[in-house]
Amino acid sequence: MQDQAPMEDLARRAAAGDSEALDRLLTGIRPEVVRRCARFLPCREDAEEAAQDVLLQVARHITAFRGRSRFGTWLYTVVANCCRQKYRELKRRAAEQPAAIEPAHAVDPRTTSVIAGSRVDLLEALDRLEREHPHLVAPLVYRDICQLDYAEAAERAGIPLGTLKSRLHEARKQVRPWLAAS
């Protein structure tokens, strides 16, 4: 989202019920949404599916955007949540239908997504962190994955800046050995 001011204006108008503004907003944010989803999901098809989920969530829930924070902050939260949900869905599908892949067969990207992909370590670490220390997930996602600045991350997480920094430090400390073991 190169030019923030028009997107902020479109988001406010869309939240107020302007359907033309919503259409323009969705068209404008799509490339950025796909890029953000690709940070979570290395398989292009999965990132695109998650991006479609994000756009659908934005269209359905734009009225929840109140303008208290920047639209980009609100959007990145939707992106993070949709990508994590897509990962859980892929993981569940892989567990329900384990497929033996013979070396002679060509690898199908639909069956080798993040479950066997290069970022499974990060997603697994987030999943484990959510189980063991759920209060540490939002600071890590907002700051390190969505790359929000500290103040925006604290605002989005609904916690004071000092608390965010403390939780982020703890989250990184927890996740670091899990990523190193991968």
Side-chain angles (χ1 to χ4, degrees):
M1 295 187 320
Q2 290 78 13
D3 197 354
Q4 292 293 325
M7 287 299 155
E8 293 293 327
D9 181 55
L10 283 174
R12 279 191 289 280
R13 289 180 24 222
D18 182 337
S19 60
E20 182 183 331
L22 178 60
D23 289 342
R24 289 179 52 211
L25 179 68
L26 294 174
T27 300
I29 65 173
R30 188 180 191 293
E32 179 67 16
V33 167
V34 172
R35 275 191 296 280
R36 291 284 175 168
C37 288
R39 285 187 171 172
F40 282 91
L41 303 163
C43 178
R44 190 183 100 248
E45 291 85 359
D46 294 332
E48 288 175 359
E49 279 183 35
Q52 287 302 316
D53 292 345
V54 169
L55 295 174
L56 183 60
Q57 291 299 316
V58 169
R60 284 184 177 164
H61 301 288
I62 189 67
T63 56
F65 175 65
R66 301 281 182 234
R68 289 187 298 251
S69 63
R70 290 184 322 123
F71 173 70
T73 303
W74 184 83
L75 177 63
Y76 296 151
T77 302
V78 176
V79 168
N81 290 337
C82 285
C83 288
R84 290 172 60 217
Q85 183 59 39
K86 174 58 72 180
Y87 169 71
R88 286 186 197 110
E89 176 187 316
L90 292 167
K91 188 175 172 183
R92 186 178 59 250
R93 249 191 277 158
E96 289 170 357
Q97 300 174 342
I101 299 174
E102 297 178 26
H105 289 81
V107 176
D108 177 5
R110 299 299 306 152
T111 62
T112 59
S113 181
V114 296
I115 303 309
S118 62
R119 298 203 189 146
V120 70
D121 52 350
L122 174 60
L123 293 166
E124 281 293 332
L126 282 173
D127 208 33
R128 183 173 173 185
L129 187 64
E130 189 166 36
R131 284 190 311 272
E132 296 180 16
H133 307 283
H135 65 288
L136 300 179
V137 173
L140 188 69
V141 168
Y142 294 145
R143 178 69 187 125
D144 289 357
I145 297 173
C146 293
Q147 296 182 332
L148 299 178
D149 64 36
Y150 285 101
E152 280 183 293
E155 178 183 332
R156 194 67 200 144
I159 56 178
L161 183 59
T163 303
L164 175 102
K165 288 180 178 181
S166 172
R167 288 182 183 177
L168 181 59
H169 174 76
E170 183 61 26
R172 288 171 176 164
K173 191 168 82 173
Q174 290 291 325
V175 168
R176 192 172 290 118
W178 301 338
L179 294 177
S182 299

